[in-house]
Amino acid sequence: MSVQDSSNQQLVGLLYRDHRDWLFGWLRKSLNCAQRAEDLSQDTFVRLLGRADLHSPREPRALLTTIAKGLLVDQFRRHALERAYLEELALAPEAVQPGPEEQALALEQLAEIDRLLGQLSSKARAAFLYNRLDGLGHAEIAERLGVSPSRVRQYLAQGLRQCYIALYGAPQ
């Protein structure tokens, strides 16, 4: 363990000791659910542990609130994605519906693709979704986004790369 890792753990330990009860209370009031508040408060501190560049914050509660809100948004997006997938799945004939294990795997892959597409610029993400979900061609997408068709090709390549990473890992 490096000195930096040890320092980060000590800092997170102090933040946990000093602000964990406050964060839990704030989340519980916001979510109206003690279990979800507990999970999110723990996830917030786990997220802090994963930071390599952690420094003592001037406003620790603002930092914790920002991280918790981001986790909450991620959770809402994940649930919306899952709901949309299950609704579409319900429309398919029963004979072609995947089993529970395959559904869980598909949901994990969809969540990872969603996370990776979220790393793209808004135009690249929109271009990719227009193409893959709406079936629009390069010229139509370019017109909608106010860019050139060659730029649309670049955006689509970025989106495909993110999908590849989600399914197979980052290329070596």
Side-chain angles (χ1 to χ4, degrees):
M1 178 185 297
S2 73
V3 174
Q4 181 67 32
D5 290 341
S6 177
S7 173
N8 280 0
Q9 286 183 354
Q10 288 176 350
L11 180 55
V12 173
L14 289 172
L15 289 169
Y16 187 87
R17 184 195 71 209
D18 295 344
H19 302 286
R20 187 250 172 233
D21 290 340
W22 170 83
L23 180 62
F24 172 72
W26 180 80
L27 285 166
R28 197 168 112 209
K29 193 177 352 172
S30 299
L31 297 172
N32 235 2
C33 177
Q35 291 84 3
R36 286 185 62 208
E38 182 65 38
D39 288 345
L40 269 175
S41 66
Q42 295 302 321
D43 289 347
T44 300
F45 288 101
V46 168
R47 180 71 56 100
L48 277 175
L49 282 171
R51 286 194 170 178
D53 60 345
L54 187 62
H55 302 288
S56 186
R58 285 187 307 177
E59 298 290 334
R61 290 184 176 181
L63 173 66
L64 294 171
T65 302
T66 300
I67 293 170
K69 283 181 179 178
L71 290 169
L72 194 55
V73 167
D74 288 347
Q75 194 176 67
F76 283 134
R77 285 181 59 184
R78 204 170 29 256
H79 287 298
L81 186 63
E82 183 176 330
R83 210 172 23 258
Y85 171 72
L86 293 174
E87 287 171 3
E88 284 299 314
L89 196 58
L91 299 175
E94 204 170 311
V96 296
Q97 289 188 3
E101 188 175 307
E102 291 169 317
Q103 286 181 23
L105 243 164
L107 284 171
E108 283 179 30
Q109 289 174 335
L110 281 172
E112 182 64 7
I113 289 169
D114 181 57
R115 185 185 71 74
L116 290 168
L117 289 178
Q119 295 174 356
L120 297 174
S121 70
S122 60
K123 285 189 177 184
R125 187 173 45 256
F128 184 77
L129 295 174
Y130 280 145
N131 180 259
R132 295 297 165 170
L133 299 179
D134 299 332
L136 299 182
H138 294 115
E140 275 183 293
I141 296 169
E143 188 177 313
R144 284 190 183 195
L145 297 179
V147 298
S148 69
S150 63
R151 188 67 182 140
V152 170
R153 278 191 290 284
Q154 291 172 350
Y155 288 153
L156 295 179
Q158 291 170 11
L160 287 171
R161 182 179 190 283
Q162 295 300 76
C163 291
Y164 180 92
I165 290 170
L167 296 173
Y168 304 109
Q172 299 298 333

